[in-house]
Amino acid sequence: MKTFPAMSSFTVSQNVARMQSSATIAAMQAAQALRAAGANVCDFGAGEPDFDTPDNIKQAAERAMRAGHTKYTANAGIRELQSAIIAFYNKQFGAEYEPSEVMATAGGKQAIFNAVVTLLNPGDEALIPKPYWVTFPEIAVFAGAKPVFIETEETDFVLTADQVERAITPRTRLLILNSPSNPSGRVLPPAEFRKIMELTSERGIYVVSDECYLRFVYPPGEVFSAASLPEELRSRLCIAGSFSKTYAMTGWRVGYALAPAEWIKAMLKVQGHSTSNTNSMAQWAAVEALNGPQESVGIMLGEYTKRRAWLLKALSEIPGFKCSEPEGAFYAFPDVRGCLKKDLKTSGDFAQRLLEEEQTVVTDGAGFGAEGFIRISYATSMEQITEGIDRIKRFSKKYV
Ligand SMILES: Cc1ncc(COP(=O)(O)O)c(C=O)c1O
């Protein structure tokens, strides 16, 4: 086998050197490694639906491929996809967007990336409520800006306008919201969402609202998008959306940004020099996802609802665990500080020992800015959930 000389002269750029690797990807890799070694793994690490992409969506991609839709598209995506996104937001939330205010991206992640790097300069501050999705601070760091975290434990991880107000400084340029939240599953009440948007509008602060879990809200909660706010509160707002979770399309890489035309224009510049456009067949699949039958979304939501109810009850019975009720997404985020005894000092130790002793994967909350918590994804079968909870109970008993 040919060996290559070490790249001794390579030094990573300063901004990338300041970035952290993803804790969620690390948990996924740990599960893969154990599985490859033949272990019977219970995996609560998944950040993606355990359902297959609905067949009508797959068929649309197949038709697109056969019809020769296999070339570059416009950077902003095909007109049909822009129109389908606009129509969805109009029908669901009464919002009016123009094609110049919408772009398709390679997943919601690229929409957030585009939005953040087109806005932030070195020295700017980006407000990020804790616990946060691991990627938010890293993109701000990549842009050379400073993530400023907002503590929300006092309000059970539900952000308030007062908390935002206390964190604002003259350097604050951006606030990143994510409701329903990954990792906490908590949902911002619409009235508080509005108060936050009133505050940021008044102070001239931009907002990225990551609505990747938009449709996964459990009754009595209701689906809420920042798009339903009055237009005057949306002049500095970018909504980042995704097909990944709603339609079980994580591998297809389709998301979108909705923002004022000038901001989209800047994002198109970044995208035009990076990925150009998201995959052409996947764009046609996404058109079908939005315009075609929606039963699959209801079926998935029904299944998550059942699992969630079972899981929350089971978690409440584990000594040392405390778990607020997550109103959305597909995660529970229990506080495990009651189990941090003997040689378990941190939630990282908890996750690591659980993996070693019970072959059960959970994600350490520290990666989301919440030491002492763990994230449990219920995007996995009921069978796995019941077995995994038995293992967690057995493990915790040794410490409490
Ligand atoms: C909060 C949040 N935002 C955005 C994304 C991005 O998803 P995608 O790029 O697959 O659309 C994820 C994926 O895990 C997420 O959890």
Side-chain angles (χ1 to χ4, degrees):
M1 198 169 78
K2 189 169 166 40
T3 52
F4 293 91
M7 288 202 302
S8 56
S9 61
F10 179 76
T11 47
V12 75
S13 67
Q14 286 172 9
N15 287 354
V16 174
R18 289 166 58 218
M19 292 169 80
Q20 308 283 327
S21 301
S22 164
T24 49
I25 291 176
M28 200 170 80
Q29 285 170 344
Q32 278 165 356
L34 265 183
R35 241 181 249 120
N40 171 14
V41 178
C42 269
D43 189 359
F44 288 119
E48 61 181 345
D50 55 317
F51 300 97
D52 195 5
T53 307
D55 214 48
N56 62 312
I57 298 176
K58 288 185 180 174
Q59 283 167 10
E62 198 178 330
R63 281 197 303 276
M65 185 164 50
R66 301 276 168 228
H69 295 307
T70 53
K71 303 287 166 61
Y72 291 130
T73 72
N75 289 166
I78 56 176
R79 269 292 159 134
E80 289 80 353
L81 181 52
Q82 288 183 302
S83 303
I85 295 166
I86 291 171
F88 171 78
Y89 276 85
N90 184 258
K91 190 165 162 227
Q92 299 289 319
F93 306 113
E96 307 230 341
Y97 281 99
E98 297 292 324
S100 59
E101 298 166 323
V102 186
M103 69 188 285
T105 55
K109 196 180 258 182
Q110 195 189 18
I112 301 163
F113 184 89
N114 289 345
V116 173
V117 302
T118 49
L119 188 72
L120 295 182
N121 286 306
D124 285 343
E125 292 180 354
L127 296 181
I128 301 175
K130 283 184 176 183
Y132 46 78
W133 183 46
V134 290
T135 294
F136 297 148
E138 305 312 326
I139 300 179
V141 164
F142 180 82
K146 183 179 167 204
V148 172
F149 300 109
I150 305 180
E151 296 291 344
T152 62
E153 203 184 326
E154 57 175 8
T155 47
D156 234 357
F157 295 151
V158 181
L159 183 69
T160 66
D162 283 348
Q163 289 165 341
V164 176
E165 184 154 27
R166 288 201 296 270
I168 294 174
T169 76
R171 289 173 179 266
T172 307
R173 184 147 167 88
L174 172 69
L175 166 67
I176 304 183
L177 297 176
N178 172 219
S179 175
S181 150
N182 175 8
S184 73
R186 300 308 309 264
V187 169
L188 249 180
E192 201 62 34
F193 207 129
R194 189 187 170 113
K195 266 172 82 178
I196 293 170
M197 294 300 292
E198 283 167 355
L199 172 70
T200 52
S201 293
E202 203 182 285
R203 304 292 182 89
I205 294 167
Y206 288 79
V207 174
V208 169
S209 174
D210 175 354
E211 302 190 350
C212 166
Y213 295 93
L214 177 74
R215 314 265 286 273
F216 294 144
V217 177
Y218 304 97
E222 276 174 31
V223 170
F224 175 82
S225 166
S228 59
L229 293 169
E231 232 175 285
E232 66 272 16
L233 296 183
R234 290 192 275 125
S235 64
R236 289 188 183 82
L237 169 72
C238 173
I239 291 176
S242 175
F243 289 79
S244 290
K245 321 283 171 166
T246 313
Y247 298 104
M249 290 176 71
T250 47
W252 297 70
R253 311 310 301 136
V254 199
Y256 53 88
L258 291 163
E262 267 178 275
W263 199 352
I264 291 285
K265 200 168 149 199
M267 292 193 230
L268 285 171
K269 207 195 259 184
V270 171
Q271 184 158 304
H273 289 298
S274 50
T275 58
S276 292
N277 58 266
T278 190
N279 174 298
S280 58
M281 283 89 61
Q283 290 189 51
W284 285 100
V287 172
E288 170 65 19
L290 280 178
N291 293 349
Q294 299 296 303
E295 280 79 18
S296 57
V297 182
I299 292 170
M300 287 190 264
L301 192 59
E303 195 51 46
Y304 291 140
T305 306
K306 277 191 257 166
R307 296 173 188 177
R308 172 180 170 275
W310 190 92
L311 178 69
L312 289 179
K313 182 163 181 302
L315 289 175
S316 73
E317 289 163 1
I318 302 180
F321 272 50
K322 269 198 287 185
C323 189
S324 311
E325 202 164 297
E327 302 95 338
F330 40 65
Y331 307 106
F333 199 57
D335 177 349
V336 298
R337 284 174 293 194
C339 297
L340 301 183
K341 301 198 175 138
K342 302 177 189 167
D343 57 340
L344 286 191
K345 304 275 182 257
T346 63
S347 46
D349 294 343
F350 183 100
Q352 183 58 33
R353 293 285 285 278
L354 181 67
L355 182 69
E356 289 163 6
E357 293 177 24
E358 294 287 350
Q359 289 74 52
T360 298
V361 181
V362 295
T363 312
D364 173 17
F368 306 103
E371 164 58 43
F373 290 73
I374 57 168
R375 189 189 75 174
I376 295 183
S377 161
Y378 50 92
T380 186
S381 69
M382 219 33 240
E383 200 187 348
Q384 280 281 300
I385 295 173
T386 46
E387 168 64 24
I389 287 295
D390 278 348
R391 294 183 188 190
I392 293 178
K393 272 188 187 152
R394 193 162 55 217
F395 175 78
S396 307
K397 266 198 201 129
K398 293 188 213 163
Y399 296 93
V400 178

